[in-house]
Amino acid sequence: MTLREGGRARQLPSTGLDDRFERQLRDLRISVTDRCNFRCVYCMPKEIFGRDYVFLERDELLSFPEIVRLARIGTRLGVRKLRITGGEPLLRKGIEELIAELAELRTPDGARLDIALTTNASALPVKAEALKAAGLQRVTVSLDSLDEERFQAINDVRFPLARVFRGIEAAESAGLGPVKINAVLKRGVNDHEIVSLAEHFRGTGRILRFIEFMDVGASNDWKLDEVVPSAEVVRTVNEVHPLEPLGATSPGETAKRWRYRDGMGEIGVISSVTDAFCGSCTRARVSADGRLFTCLFADTGFDLRSVLRSGADDAEVAAALTGVWRARDDRYSELRAALTARGAGRERIEMSYIGG
Ligand code: SAM
Ligand code: SF4
Ligand code: SF4
C-alpha cells in the first residue's frame, strides 16, 4: 500500500501490523478530553481531581483534524474499530462533528469503521440524536449501581440514576443500541448487586458487562482483595438464572459472553485482573494530548502530537506509529503479580486521561 501526502509516496505494509507477539493493531481508543463532570471515586477521586487539579489546556488537546488524520493513517495500518472515550467524551465541544468526520473514513477495502463511544450518559439526552446522525453506531454507558444513594456516592457529584436512564433511553430511541452497560464491581461496595444488576437488564436488550476493578492509575488506592473475580460473578448469576458460554463476536474482544439459557439475553465479564487477555490485545490508546499508549497500564506514551505538529507527512506519521507498534511487548495483566511485587509505587497513567 502506498501513502501519498505532499507529493511524496512511501510504501506501507499492505497487511496488518504485528507487534512482538504477533498481535495486530486493530482497535484505536481515542480520548478526546481529560475532563469529566463526575468524580467517580475509583477513577477521579475529589481529593486528587479537585479545584487545584491542572487539566489540559485547549491547545494541548489534539484538534479534530489531528484526530481524524491519525485515525485515517491508523486505518491504513489495520485499525478497524474506533472507540471514543475520555474523561467524559461528550464534554468535548463539537464531538458530533468529530464523529461525522471519522464516519467518513474507509478501510483499504472500502468498508466503514466500527465507531463506538463510552460515556457516563449525562449528556445523551441532548446529544444522542446528533451523534447518531453523525454516524456513531453504538454507545457503552457506565453504571455501577442501581441503588440511588450508592450510585450518587460513587459518582460523587450527586448525579441521579434517573438521568442516566434518561440517557440510555435517548440512545436507544436515536438508534444507538443495543446499549452496553459497564458496571465496575468493587468488593464491599457493590458486589452484592450482581444479581439485581443482572435481573434489571435481563430481557431488556441492554447488554450488561461486569468489569473487574483494575489497578489503573495511581489515584484509586487499588487492592487485590477489592477485585470481584469474574468467575464469581458468573457463578452468582448462574445460580439464579442459568447461563451458557457464547463465542466472541470479534477477535480481540475484551468481554467473555454468557447467554441466559432461557433466551433472556446475555451478560459479559471483563476479567482484566483474574483472566488476562493480553494474548489477543489489539488495542492502542491515544490520550487527549496525543500520546500513544500500547497498554492501559503503561507509564509512558509516545508523543504523536509532536510528530503531527512537526510538519511530518502521512508516511512519516505512519512510520512513527509502525515503529511503536512493532516494538510493543506489553502484557501487563499477564505479568501483574510479578510486577506488582517488584514495582510498588511505580508511575502509571490515570484512566480519566487515557479512557477505558
Ligand atoms: N467517562 C466515560 C465513562 O465513564 O463511561 C468514559 C471514560 S471512563 C474512564 C471508561 C470506563 O473506565 C468506565 O466504564 C469506567 O467505569 C471504567 N473505569 C475507570 N476506572 C476503572 C478502574 N479502576 N477499573 C475498572 N474500570 C475502570
Ligand atoms: Fe468520569 Fe468516566 Fe471516570 Fe466516572 S469513570 S470519573 S464518568 S471518566
Ligand atoms: Fe492489553 Fe495491556 Fe490490558 Fe494486556 S494489560 S490486555 S496488553 S492493555
Side-chain angles (χ1 to χ4, degrees):
M1 183 201 308
T2 304
L3 269 187
R4 202 174 274 279
E5 172 101 338
R8 282 194 274 166
R10 307 250 186 102
Q11 285 304 118
L12 281 182
S14 55
T15 54
L17 197 59
D18 277 346
D19 71 4
R20 290 204 186 167
F21 295 118
E22 295 180 6
R23 298 169 298 188
Q24 297 197 339
L25 174 61
R26 290 274 149 190
D27 314 81
L28 198 56
R29 298 195 171 192
I30 303 169
S31 171
V32 291
T33 178
D34 59 339
R35 291 168 199 253
C36 188
N37 53 337
F38 284 17
R39 283 292 175 274
C40 301
V41 287
Y42 57 81
C43 179
M44 297 182 77
K46 276 181 179 165
E47 313 82 72
I48 293 167
F49 295 88
R51 271 168 208 255
D52 298 334
Y53 186 82
V54 183
F55 288 99
L56 294 168
E57 296 288 343
R58 199 181 161 74
D59 62 351
E60 292 180 287
L61 301 177
L62 285 191
S63 67
F64 288 171
E66 286 169 337
I67 293 174
V68 174
R69 184 176 178 214
L70 207 52
R72 178 166 50 79
I73 293 169
T75 304
R76 312 259 179 93
L77 297 176
V79 169
R80 296 293 174 264
K81 271 169 111 174
L82 300 178
R83 178 167 292 278
I84 310 303
T85 180
E88 174 46 46
L90 299 184
L91 292 188
R92 178 82 185 252
K93 205 164 161 229
I95 184 73
E96 49 277 49
E97 289 149 34
L98 173 67
I99 302 281
E101 290 192 41
L102 293 174
E104 293 291 312
L105 297 176
R106 293 290 177 271
T107 71
D109 307 331
R112 285 170 167 273
L113 299 182
D114 182 21
I115 308 179
L117 177 140
T118 306
T119 174
N120 62 24
S122 57
L124 279 176
V126 282
K127 294 261 180 195
E129 292 282 349
L131 290 167
K132 177 65 185 179
L136 185 69
Q137 283 141 11
R138 284 171 293 108
V139 291
T140 299
V141 169
S142 304
L143 175 62
D144 307 321
S145 175
L146 295 171
D147 177 277
E148 185 72 56
E149 218 172 290
R150 191 169 307 112
F151 179 65
Q152 293 195 22
I154 293 173
N155 68 55
D156 213 12
V157 291
R158 296 176 187 271
F159 196 86
L161 263 178
R163 285 181 61 193
V164 175
F165 281 105
R166 241 181 277 150
I168 295 172
E169 283 152 22
E172 286 170 339
S173 6
L176 289 170
V179 174
K180 288 183 182 156
I181 311 288
N182 276 359
V184 176
L185 289 177
K186 199 171 165 188
R187 180 79 69 204
V189 175
N190 59 350
D191 52 331
H192 58 289
E193 287 197 64
I194 294 172
V195 172
S196 51
L197 277 160
E199 289 188 334
H200 184 90
F201 292 109
R202 228 173 85 81
T204 63
R206 299 170 181 170
I207 303 170
L208 174 65
R209 289 126 46 99
F210 291 101
I211 303 182
E212 289 179 349
F213 177 46
M214 290 185 279
D215 46 336
V216 275
S219 335
N220 68 14
D221 193 23
W222 182 87
K223 294 180 196 69
L224 184 59
D225 60 10
E226 291 172 335
V227 177
V228 183
S230 293
E232 176 183 327
V233 175
V234 172
R235 204 169 52 240
T236 307
V237 177
N238 183 57
E239 275 167 15
V240 190
H241 299 290
L243 294 166
E244 60 193 8
L246 263 175
T249 39
S250 58
E253 194 168 52
T254 49
K256 285 213 170 124
R257 302 165 63 215
W258 294 80
R259 170 169 58 195
Y260 292 111
R261 283 181 190 267
D262 61 6
M264 293 289 273
E266 65 176 86
I267 60 165
V269 286
I270 302 182
S271 323
S272 330
V273 180
T274 62
D275 186 12
F277 38 81
C278 301
S280 59
C281 180
T282 52
R283 287 175 293 284
R285 295 173 161 88
V286 180
S287 63
D289 58 350
R291 289 187 177 268
L292 176 69
F293 292 88
T294 54
C295 180
L296 187 51
F297 299 93
D299 48 5
T300 46
F302 177 83
D303 184 5
L304 272 177
R305 188 185 65 190
S306 292
V307 179
L308 289 167
R309 293 183 183 176
S310 69
D313 67 19
D314 282 4
E316 284 161 342
V317 177
L321 256 166
T322 304
V324 174
W325 191 263
R326 288 225 164 106
R328 177 186 192 241
D329 62 358
D330 304 282
R331 48 195 187 106
Y332 175 80
S333 282
E334 283 182 2
L335 305 173
R336 175 180 278 105
L339 287 174
T340 310
R342 257 193 286 135
R346 151 182 180 267
E347 290 270 307
R348 246 190 257 125
I349 44 163
E350 297 295 336
M351 195 72 146
S352 54
Y353 172 66
I354 197 72

